[in-house]
Amino acid sequence: QGATLPSPQASCLCGSAPCILCACCPSSPNSTVSRLIFTAFLFLGVLVSIIMLSPGVESQLHKLPWVCEEGAGTPVVLQGHIDCGSLLGHRAVYRMCFATAAFFFLFTLLMLCVRSSRDPRAAIQNGFWFFKFLILVGITVGAFYIPDGSFSNVWFYFGVVGSFLFILIQLVLLIDFAHSWNQRWLGRAEECDSRAWYAGLFFFTLLFYTLSIAAVTLLFIYYTQPGTCYESKVFIGLNLTLCFCVSIVAVLPKVQEAQPNSGLLQASVITLYTMFVTWLALSSVPDQKCNPHLLTHLSNGTILAGPEGYETHWWDAPSIVGLVVFVLCTVFISLRSSDHRQVNNLMQTEECPSMLEATQQQQQVACEGRAFDNEQGGVTYSYSFFHFCLVLASLHIMMTLTNWYRPGEARKMVSTWTAVWVKVCASWAGLLLYLWTLVAPLLLPNRDFS
């Protein structure tokens, strides 16, 4: 029997995702489990990056003579050793996120045009987790041997572009969430003939607008000064005006007629998110008078400083909130299945199955105690696009953990206007995208936007 049947350990190392997580989610679809494991790989890289940024790690590494070379000016690779500088700070984050981005980009190319689980490449997507983990570890080790040189400067601009796109993906998911929320509560209000659901929608709409107004007030207080910080004042005022305009458009009679589910709830969510992105933008302004987060480390302590150089502190308030939003968004990407056709077209996912179909699939495998393959007739999401989203997520978390600082000379981190403009432009692009979802049925009446 031992010669004919594979061992449980070998089955879980080489088998599919259901083999690994069958005890935790016995009736989960194969597609969801696989996405969760890939997301766990990404979060593992994030955890390693955070550890490398933690105080005290450098002193511990310097105690290991077989790891580090003496002197800050030693090359990155010398007699098989690694310079401790490449293991710490922003350079560690850059290399770790380069490894995760390269790993997911490899699968982006490998999974192009996979149509169903009958494709041999689907077995690679949903299985061989031990070997995929080894590949990730190998790429990570190799990334730390990349000579510093111009790597950090070039990779910074890759991070800027990737993070910009990921901010837009966050907004798309937020629009989808707000539309689904509004539609479900309105449906329950009609079914139950109860005003409680309407009261709930009104409460959260009022709450989100109140938080947005409070955010604008705090931004003016902490990120502007009388007689200076004109750019910050323009950004705050312009985004506030644009949010007011899209809120008005959302309740126009013609828009309501074309899209009955459109309302102020979605507009309030988008407004609050825009204020959040504006906060992230202002936290990157390279002017100590307009940005309380700029710090540098001198011999007499940590004080405010100009744009010539800063100590990397990712654990300030904007970065922590950004990390939380990143985690929620990435998990949502792994779990989501929407009933919005336009969002599914953009995110390369299929519409969520009906309750009857999902129940039948779960009943078929309930007795087997494992997840089921729900993609024999066709994939429920684009494998390639999912991995591309994780590539962008890797770049976005790289910029978040390093506060969007650009590597400068003498190994200093420099805050630049590039980060500010990227975030502000992302907020504008997001508002335009939401505005398009409102007016598209009016401008293109012959298309189906249901």
Short mmCIF file of all heavy atoms in Angstrom, two decimals, residues 156-157 160-161 164 281 284-286 399 404 406 414-425:
data_model
loop_
_atom_site.label_atom_id
_atom_site.label_comp_id
_atom_site.label_asym_id
_atom_site.label_seq_id
_atom_site.Cartn_x
_atom_site.Cartn_y
_atom_site.Cartn_z
N PHE A 156 12.23 52.87 -7.03
CA PHE A 156 11.34 53.87 -6.44
C PHE A 156 10.27 54.30 -7.45
O PHE A 156 9.09 54.42 -7.10
CB PHE A 156 12.15 55.08 -5.97
CG PHE A 156 11.32 56.29 -5.62
CD1 PHE A 156 10.68 56.38 -4.40
CD2 PHE A 156 11.17 57.34 -6.52
CE1 PHE A 156 9.91 57.49 -4.06
CE2 PHE A 156 10.40 58.45 -6.21
CZ PHE A 156 9.78 58.52 -4.97
N TYR A 157 10.65 54.53 -8.68
CA TYR A 157 9.70 54.99 -9.69
C TYR A 157 8.75 53.86 -10.11
O TYR A 157 7.59 54.12 -10.45
CB TYR A 157 10.44 55.57 -10.89
CG TYR A 157 11.14 56.86 -10.56
CD1 TYR A 157 12.52 56.90 -10.34
CD2 TYR A 157 10.42 58.05 -10.42
CE1 TYR A 157 13.16 58.09 -10.01
CE2 TYR A 157 11.05 59.24 -10.09
CZ TYR A 157 12.41 59.25 -9.90
OH TYR A 157 13.05 60.43 -9.56
N VAL A 160 6.20 54.08 -7.45
CA VAL A 160 5.30 55.22 -7.63
C VAL A 160 4.16 54.87 -8.58
O VAL A 160 2.98 55.09 -8.30
CB VAL A 160 6.08 56.45 -8.13
CG1 VAL A 160 5.13 57.53 -8.63
CG2 VAL A 160 6.96 57.01 -7.01
N VAL A 161 4.50 54.29 -9.73
CA VAL A 161 3.48 53.94 -10.73
C VAL A 161 2.56 52.84 -10.20
O VAL A 161 1.33 52.92 -10.32
CB VAL A 161 4.16 53.51 -12.05
CG1 VAL A 161 3.11 53.04 -13.06
CG2 VAL A 161 4.98 54.65 -12.63
N PHE A 164 0.18 54.14 -7.53
CA PHE A 164 -0.87 54.96 -8.13
C PHE A 164 -2.00 54.07 -8.66
O PHE A 164 -3.19 54.33 -8.41
CB PHE A 164 -0.29 55.80 -9.26
CG PHE A 164 -1.31 56.58 -10.05
CD1 PHE A 164 -1.76 57.81 -9.61
CD2 PHE A 164 -1.82 56.07 -11.24
CE1 PHE A 164 -2.70 58.53 -10.34
CE2 PHE A 164 -2.75 56.77 -11.97
CZ PHE A 164 -3.20 58.01 -11.52
N ALA A 281 -1.41 62.44 0.87
CA ALA A 281 -0.63 63.34 0.03
C ALA A 281 0.04 64.43 0.86
O ALA A 281 1.23 64.71 0.69
CB ALA A 281 -1.51 63.95 -1.05
N SER A 284 3.21 63.77 2.78
CA SER A 284 4.45 63.62 2.01
C SER A 284 5.02 64.95 1.55
O SER A 284 6.05 64.95 0.86
CB SER A 284 4.19 62.74 0.78
OG SER A 284 3.75 61.45 1.15
N VAL A 285 4.40 66.06 1.90
CA VAL A 285 4.90 67.37 1.48
C VAL A 285 6.28 67.61 2.08
O VAL A 285 6.46 67.52 3.30
CB VAL A 285 3.93 68.49 1.92
CG1 VAL A 285 4.53 69.86 1.66
CG2 VAL A 285 2.60 68.34 1.21
N PRO A 286 7.29 67.91 1.27
CA PRO A 286 8.66 68.07 1.79
C PRO A 286 8.92 69.45 2.38
O PRO A 286 9.85 70.16 1.95
CB PRO A 286 9.51 67.81 0.54
CG PRO A 286 8.67 68.29 -0.58
CD PRO A 286 7.25 67.98 -0.21
N MET A 399 5.90 51.48 -0.88
CA MET A 399 5.86 52.93 -0.73
C MET A 399 5.26 53.34 0.61
O MET A 399 5.68 54.33 1.21
CB MET A 399 5.06 53.55 -1.88
CG MET A 399 5.56 53.17 -3.27
SD MET A 399 7.32 53.48 -3.51
CE MET A 399 7.36 55.27 -3.42
N TRP A 404 6.95 56.84 1.21
CA TRP A 404 7.13 57.43 -0.12
C TRP A 404 8.41 58.26 -0.19
O TRP A 404 8.51 59.18 -0.99
CB TRP A 404 5.93 58.28 -0.51
CG TRP A 404 4.70 57.51 -0.81
CD1 TRP A 404 3.92 56.85 0.10
CD2 TRP A 404 4.08 57.31 -2.07
NE1 TRP A 404 2.87 56.25 -0.53
CE2 TRP A 404 2.93 56.51 -1.86
CE3 TRP A 404 4.39 57.73 -3.37
CZ2 TRP A 404 2.09 56.14 -2.90
CZ3 TRP A 404 3.54 57.36 -4.40
CH2 TRP A 404 2.41 56.57 -4.17
N ARG A 406 12.21 59.04 -1.22
CA ARG A 406 13.10 58.64 -2.31
C ARG A 406 14.52 58.49 -1.79
O ARG A 406 15.00 59.35 -1.04
CB ARG A 406 13.08 59.68 -3.43
CG ARG A 406 13.97 59.32 -4.61
CD ARG A 406 13.93 60.41 -5.67
NE ARG A 406 14.42 61.67 -5.17
CZ ARG A 406 15.72 61.99 -5.08
NH1 ARG A 406 16.63 61.13 -5.46
NH2 ARG A 406 16.08 63.17 -4.62
N VAL A 414 14.77 60.92 1.29
CA VAL A 414 14.38 62.29 0.99
C VAL A 414 12.92 62.32 0.57
O VAL A 414 12.50 61.56 -0.32
CB VAL A 414 15.26 62.88 -0.13
CG1 VAL A 414 14.85 64.31 -0.43
CG2 VAL A 414 16.73 62.82 0.26
N SER A 415 12.16 63.17 1.21
CA SER A 415 10.76 63.36 0.83
C SER A 415 10.70 64.32 -0.35
O SER A 415 11.32 65.37 -0.36
CB SER A 415 9.96 63.94 2.01
OG SER A 415 8.61 64.11 1.67
N THR A 416 9.96 63.94 -1.40
CA THR A 416 9.90 64.72 -2.63
C THR A 416 8.46 65.06 -2.97
O THR A 416 7.51 64.45 -2.46
CB THR A 416 10.53 63.95 -3.79
OG1 THR A 416 9.72 62.80 -4.08
CG2 THR A 416 11.95 63.51 -3.45
N TRP A 417 8.31 66.02 -3.89
CA TRP A 417 6.98 66.39 -4.36
C TRP A 417 6.40 65.33 -5.28
O TRP A 417 5.18 65.37 -5.57
CB TRP A 417 7.05 67.74 -5.08
CG TRP A 417 7.06 68.91 -4.15
CD1 TRP A 417 8.14 69.65 -3.76
CD2 TRP A 417 5.93 69.47 -3.48
NE1 TRP A 417 7.75 70.63 -2.89
CE2 TRP A 417 6.39 70.56 -2.70
CE3 TRP A 417 4.56 69.16 -3.46
CZ2 TRP A 417 5.54 71.32 -1.91
CZ3 TRP A 417 3.71 69.92 -2.67
CH2 TRP A 417 4.20 70.99 -1.91
N THR A 418 7.21 64.40 -5.75
CA THR A 418 6.69 63.33 -6.61
C THR A 418 5.59 62.56 -5.90
O THR A 418 4.52 62.29 -6.48
CB THR A 418 7.82 62.37 -7.01
OG1 THR A 418 8.84 63.10 -7.69
CG2 THR A 418 7.30 61.27 -7.92
N ALA A 419 5.83 62.18 -4.64
CA ALA A 419 4.82 61.43 -3.88
C ALA A 419 3.55 62.24 -3.72
O ALA A 419 2.44 61.71 -3.80
CB ALA A 419 5.40 61.04 -2.51
N VAL A 420 3.70 63.55 -3.47
CA VAL A 420 2.52 64.40 -3.27
C VAL A 420 1.66 64.42 -4.52
O VAL A 420 0.44 64.22 -4.47
CB VAL A 420 2.96 65.83 -2.87
CG1 VAL A 420 1.74 66.72 -2.66
CG2 VAL A 420 3.82 65.80 -1.62
N TRP A 421 2.28 64.67 -5.66
CA TRP A 421 1.53 64.79 -6.91
C TRP A 421 0.92 63.47 -7.32
O TRP A 421 -0.20 63.44 -7.88
CB TRP A 421 2.44 65.35 -8.01
CG TRP A 421 2.61 66.83 -7.92
CD1 TRP A 421 3.73 67.51 -7.52
CD2 TRP A 421 1.63 67.83 -8.23
NE1 TRP A 421 3.51 68.86 -7.55
CE2 TRP A 421 2.22 69.08 -7.99
CE3 TRP A 421 0.31 67.78 -8.67
CZ2 TRP A 421 1.54 70.29 -8.19
CZ3 TRP A 421 -0.37 68.97 -8.87
CH2 TRP A 421 0.23 70.20 -8.63
N VAL A 422 1.60 62.37 -7.08
CA VAL A 422 1.04 61.07 -7.43
C VAL A 422 -0.23 60.81 -6.63
O VAL A 422 -1.26 60.38 -7.18
CB VAL A 422 2.07 59.96 -7.19
CG1 VAL A 422 1.42 58.59 -7.26
CG2 VAL A 422 3.19 60.05 -8.21
N LYS A 423 -0.20 61.07 -5.33
CA LYS A 423 -1.38 60.82 -4.50
C LYS A 423 -2.53 61.78 -4.84
O LYS A 423 -3.70 61.38 -4.89
CB LYS A 423 -1.01 60.95 -3.02
CG LYS A 423 0.00 59.91 -2.57
CD LYS A 423 0.41 60.13 -1.13
CE LYS A 423 1.50 59.18 -0.70
NZ LYS A 423 1.94 59.38 0.69
N VAL A 424 -2.19 63.05 -5.06
CA VAL A 424 -3.24 64.02 -5.41
C VAL A 424 -3.87 63.66 -6.75
O VAL A 424 -5.10 63.68 -6.90
CB VAL A 424 -2.66 65.44 -5.42
CG1 VAL A 424 -3.67 66.42 -6.00
CG2 VAL A 424 -2.28 65.88 -4.01
N CYS A 425 -3.03 63.30 -7.71
CA CYS A 425 -3.57 62.91 -9.02
C CYS A 425 -4.40 61.63 -8.91
O CYS A 425 -5.39 61.46 -9.63
CB CYS A 425 -2.43 62.72 -10.02
SG CYS A 425 -1.59 64.26 -10.50
#
